[in-house]
Amino acid sequence: MNNIHTNWYKKAVIYQIYPRSFLDTNNDGLGDIKGIICKLDYLKDLGINCVWLSPIYDSPQKDNGYDISNYLDIYPPFGNMDDFKKMLSEMHKRGIRLIMDLVVNHTSDQHQWFKEAIKDKSSPYRDYYIIRKGKKNGKKPPNNWQGFFGEGAWTRIRESDEYYLHLFTKEQPDLNWENPKVREEVKNLLKFWLDLGVDGFRCDVINLISKKQDFKSRFPLLALTGKDAYINGPRLHEYLHELYRDVFSQYDCMTVGETVLASKQDNIDLTDPAREELDMIFNFSHTNSDNYLGVKYFYRKFKLNCFKKRLNEQQINLVGHGWNSLFIENHDQRRSVGRFGTVEEDINSSKSLAVSYFLLQGTPFIYQGQEIGMRNAHFKNIDETEDVESKNIFRISKKIPFIGKRIRNVILEVSRDNARTPMIWDNSTYGGFSNVKPWIRVNPDKDIVNVKHSLEDKDSLYYFYKKLIDFRKDNDTIINGSYRMLKEHNPNIFAYVREDEQYRIIVISSFSKKEIKCSLLNQLKDEDIVISNFENHKEKLQPFETRVYKIKK
Ligand code: ISL
Ligand code: CA
């Protein structure tokens, strides 16, 4: 069969929208599809050419839409199918593609399949889920596996002696991918959206879909007990190849897999075009550089060297095999301002960070608000957070003597809600997001950080991102050129070179609050600087200075 894939994703710059918090047009405090339509010109002006939309499917919203009760319909407060079709066509008119979130490791417990499955033992839907007999006549779960939100991974089905597996909240039962009927259902829903014109999918926790079938207890860990049984399971690659063969190969679409704690080899295998699985993956090794074991509550001090090392490994790992995704924020990560070596008080630090990740090899993503430097929410109290994960971890940690209070502060600092406060369009009461009190509190920095301000200030982070996006579009070296890290062991400088036959592009960013020397500058000429956050250049790098040199060979 002819390959109809144009690999457009390699030239894409993707903007992630978290629909709840983007723009509310009917004043119910929740963002909506019409709100997205209103802001498409804003996105077009920024220069992005693809949107990843977090889930908009019908859902009881226990995990903000990552718990889907109907894959073929829209959550009514967000709009309806007509709104969706209008949004898609307005995007396409502007040269913006759309990728949808695909959440198929689990459904909502309110999905019809699950309701049938637990109602009747002989229902064909029973085997859509992972249901096992508990130990001790059903008094204890089948094994000691733990899920991602700090709890045991099994919940008992009413008065029975059986339990169902859920790696997230108990309202998110895991699907049984061993059952070929489940895989057929997934293929059908993929085709439904692709036939409507959608351009691809961001595949939620996709490396969890295959589970080792022994269902035995594992050695207890501090977090994620049993992970060897459910992360990168034995049939993962087989399942993804099947989706590719039966669906993705027939559309000019792209896929990016969210792969939590995936191994180097798995990341290669998932993205190697010859294997026909996914186009790219989100590797979190660099965003985990300020914690231990990939668990954000095990917080540790950020070190630029560790961050660089992990990004460098990601880059090198996929050379000649697959394609990287490039990101520093998303709806699960706290904001990058004040993280990854940057400081709130100096926007130049965010510009340094922007350059550092954006011009690496791969497709860059920008999370809503990142382009204006939105900050963390600075929550003071657990009651101000809405996220089920924060609330769960808080509830569990309260029971642990002595460390309860310390953990509370860590939760407030790392809560996913930091990224989920409403997009700030202006400095009005609710930041121009809504005329009524939004579902979650508005960021207290709204008067300083908002879109209106950013558009008025020619030195804003917004215009800096716009420049980076244009630069990437105009320079094939950034898309297809080779990559090599420079100053690998320097704790203050992030530098690398991108190169092809025609050009050498050198990126140098300082993460120091002081002026620092950099020997690379000796061989470079100021007139070759094409992007910088400083107008005048000295012999040394100024605090948080970043420079991009383009040298014709
Ligand atoms: O945010 C995390 C930990 O604090 C991650 O472990 C996160 O739960 C993991 O990356 C999976 O995330 C995805 O699936 C979840 C959903 O809650 C997240 O929003 C989603 O991005 C379950 O669907
Ligand atoms: Ca609304």
Side-chain angles (χ1 to χ4, degrees):
M1 192 170 55
N2 277 341
N3 190 344
I4 59 163
H5 284 185
T6 59
N7 294 342
W8 55 265
Y9 64 87
K10 294 190 177 179
K11 292 194 173 158
V13 176
I14 304 180
Y15 188 92
Q16 183 191 351
I17 292 181
Y18 197 65
R20 268 182 166 259
S21 300
F22 195 58
L23 181 69
D24 173 21
T25 56
N26 63 343
N27 294 314
D28 62 354
L30 271 187
D32 41 58
I33 293 177
K34 288 205 170 94
I36 298 172
I37 300 174
C38 284
K39 293 295 179 185
L40 289 178
D41 286 332
Y42 168 78
L43 297 180
K44 169 104 185 119
D45 285 348
L46 176 60
I48 61 96
N49 52 12
C50 182
V51 162
W52 150 27
L53 194 54
S54 276
I56 52 166
Y57 313 94
D58 206 1
S59 157
Q61 304 286 320
K62 293 284 178 195
D63 188 17
N64 292 359
Y66 285 87
D67 49 322
I68 297 171
S69 54
N70 184 351
Y71 289 96
L72 308 183
D73 211 347
I74 308 288
Y75 175 53
F78 287 170
N80 57 33
M81 262 309 178
D82 287 337
D83 297 327
F84 174 81
K85 287 180 188 159
K86 169 104 170 114
M87 174 185 71
L88 185 59
S89 82
E90 290 296 321
M91 284 178 169
H92 284 169
K93 248 191 237 167
R94 289 170 177 78
I96 298 174
R97 301 192 201 239
L98 175 66
I99 64 170
M100 301 272 280
D101 224 303
L102 176 74
V103 190
V104 287
N105 173 67
H106 44 267
T107 68
S108 158
D109 65 347
Q110 297 306 305
H111 196 291
Q112 207 51 39
W113 302 336
F114 190 71
K115 288 191 187 167
E116 297 289 332
I118 56 167
K119 198 165 71 193
D120 172 8
K121 275 197 172 186
S122 60
S123 159
Y125 291 105
R126 190 92 176 165
D127 198 32
Y128 273 39
Y129 294 89
I130 301 169
I131 295 174
R132 292 287 182 282
K133 272 213 160 56
K135 286 184 186 157
K136 308 218 159 142
N137 288 328
K139 286 200 190 74
K140 289 206 147 180
N143 63 36
N144 67 348
W145 297 1
Q146 268 180 329
F148 279 73
F149 293 157
E151 291 175 305
W154 298 92
T155 289
R156 195 170 176 170
I157 301 176
R158 276 188 240 115
E159 283 81 42
S160 78
D161 58 355
E162 293 193 300
Y163 288 69
Y164 65 90
L165 182 79
H166 54 89
L167 295 180
F168 294 89
T169 69
K170 65 178 189 325
E171 292 89 2
Q172 291 164 295
D174 279 48
L175 282 166
N176 175 22
W177 278 67
E178 298 282 321
N179 181 350
K181 283 195 203 136
V182 166
R183 307 203 294 274
E184 287 313 310
E185 298 273 12
V186 171
K187 290 178 206 166
N188 288 338
L189 77 91
L190 288 172
K191 286 186 192 151
F192 172 85
W193 291 101
L194 288 164
D195 288 337
L196 280 173
V198 156
D199 301 288
F201 296 94
R202 173 268 186 191
C203 312
D204 191 64
V205 288
I206 203 69
N207 64 325
L208 307 184
I209 57 177
S210 159
K211 278 92 180 168
K212 282 187 187 156
Q213 297 293 303
D214 61 63
F215 293 102
K216 285 193 183 128
S217 283
R218 296 297 196 269
F219 186 78
L221 305 173
L222 276 174
L224 300 176
T225 298
K227 65 180 176 183
D228 80 282
Y230 59 70
I231 295 181
N232 306 326
R235 298 182 70 186
L236 170 66
H237 299 289
E238 176 196 330
Y239 294 154
L240 289 175
H241 180 67
E242 187 179 323
L243 295 186
Y244 186 95
R245 186 194 64 202
D246 295 350
V247 184
F248 300 138
S249 62
Q250 287 151 37
Y251 300 82
D252 185 17
C253 63
M254 76 86 124
T255 52
V256 51
E258 188 206 25
T259 52
V260 277
L261 303 172
S263 72
K264 283 188 179 176
Q265 189 57 46
D266 277 303
N267 283 335
I268 293 176
D269 290 349
L270 289 163
T271 53
D272 184 346
R275 296 174 56 92
E276 305 187 321
E277 295 180 24
L278 300 171
D279 294 314
M280 19 174 184
I281 41 109
F282 288 124
N283 183 331
F284 294 93
S285 68
H286 63 300
T287 55
N288 282 330
S289 56
D290 56 6
N291 67 50
Y292 294 102
L293 302 169
V295 180
K296 64 176 183 248
Y297 303 101
F298 304 156
Y299 179 76
R300 67 171 169 178
K301 199 167 176 277
F302 175 81
K303 290 213 172 69
L304 186 71
N305 262 344
C306 174
F307 184 69
K308 276 166 57 172
K309 185 167 165 251
R310 293 185 177 189
L311 278 169
N312 192 36
E313 280 167 2
Q314 291 180 18
Q315 293 274 298
I316 292 168
N317 195 35
L318 293 192
V319 171
H321 301 292
W323 195 255
N324 273 294
S325 72
L326 309 169
F327 69 99
I328 49 172
E329 291 191 10
N330 69 28
H331 65 291
D332 292 335
Q333 300 282 329
R334 65 189 179 282
R335 292 286 182 180
S336 64
V337 177
R339 201 184 172 191
F340 306 138
T342 69
V343 291
E344 267 190 7
E345 315 77 60
D346 192 344
I347 197 70
N348 276 328
S349 65
S350 287
K351 293 181 181 173
S352 254
L353 179 64
V355 170
S356 303
Y357 93 95
F358 209 88
L359 300 180
L360 290 168
Q361 193 274 332
T363 296
F365 287 70
I366 298 173
Y367 176 63
Q368 70 181 41
Q370 180 188 327
E371 77 279 19
I372 57 166
M374 271 186 70
R375 299 172 180 179
N376 285 319
H378 301 296
F379 295 115
K380 298 268 179 303
N381 201 307
I382 289 289
D383 296 340
E384 291 173 334
T385 65
E386 301 290 334
D387 183 16
V388 59
E389 181 191 59
S390 303
K391 291 192 185 298
N392 268 8
I393 303 279
F394 181 61
R395 191 166 37 76
I396 296 163
S397 66
K398 264 202 310 204
K399 294 179 197 146
I400 310 173
F402 306 117
I403 57 167
K405 183 159 171 21
R406 218 189 99 70
I407 288 202
R408 191 197 72 129
N409 293 336
V410 174
I411 294 174
L412 295 177
E413 202 162 309
V414 303
S415 170
R416 307 194 293 182
D417 281 340
N418 281 298
R420 299 176 179 185
T421 58
M423 180 76 180
I424 311 178
W425 299 100
D426 59 39
N427 61 359
S428 59
T429 316
Y430 301 119
F433 166 76
S434 176
N435 293 330
V436 302
K437 200 162 180 263
W439 69 278
I440 188 169
R441 80 155 179 179
V442 174
N443 195 301
D445 296 315
K446 72 170 170 55
D447 291 347
I448 312 165
V449 183
N450 62 59
V451 170
K452 190 161 170 275
H453 238 142
S454 303
L455 294 177
E456 285 161 3
D457 170 9
K458 70 170 185 13
D459 285 331
S460 69
L461 185 61
Y462 167 89
Y463 286 113
F464 197 78
Y465 266 109
K466 194 169 155 65
K467 223 183 271 173
L468 284 175
I469 296 170
D470 288 344
F471 182 71
R472 190 176 185 277
K473 270 188 199 148
D474 296 340
N475 287 277
D476 189 61
T477 317
I478 298 299
I479 295 162
N480 291 313
S482 67
Y483 153 89
R484 184 165 54 90
M485 183 163 262
L486 303 170
K487 294 274 165 210
E488 221 176 303
H489 302 292
N490 188 312
N492 293 311
I493 293 175
F494 196 135
Y496 54 92
V497 53
R498 304 293 317 274
E499 191 164 356
D500 57 18
E501 284 89 54
Q502 281 185 298
Y503 295 100
R504 182 178 298 134
I505 294 175
I506 297 181
V507 174
I508 304 175
S509 302
S510 164
F511 283 84
S512 173
K513 291 181 186 164
K514 302 194 190 109
E515 260 192 18
I516 48 167
K517 275 197 213 149
C518 174
S519 60
L520 293 171
L521 303 185
N522 305 336
Q523 310 135 39
L524 297 165
K525 289 191 234 118
D526 283 2
E527 61 258 35
D528 289 331
I529 297 177
V530 283
I531 295 178
S532 179
N533 51 356
F534 281 79
E535 260 174 42
N536 299 312
H537 302 284
K538 302 189 185 168
E539 269 171 40
K540 289 182 177 177
L541 288 173
Q542 295 167 74
F544 295 113
E545 179 171 351
T546 177
R547 304 182 186 180
V548 179
Y549 295 83
K550 179 176 174 183
I551 302 149
K552 179 122 180 80
K553 291 186 16 185

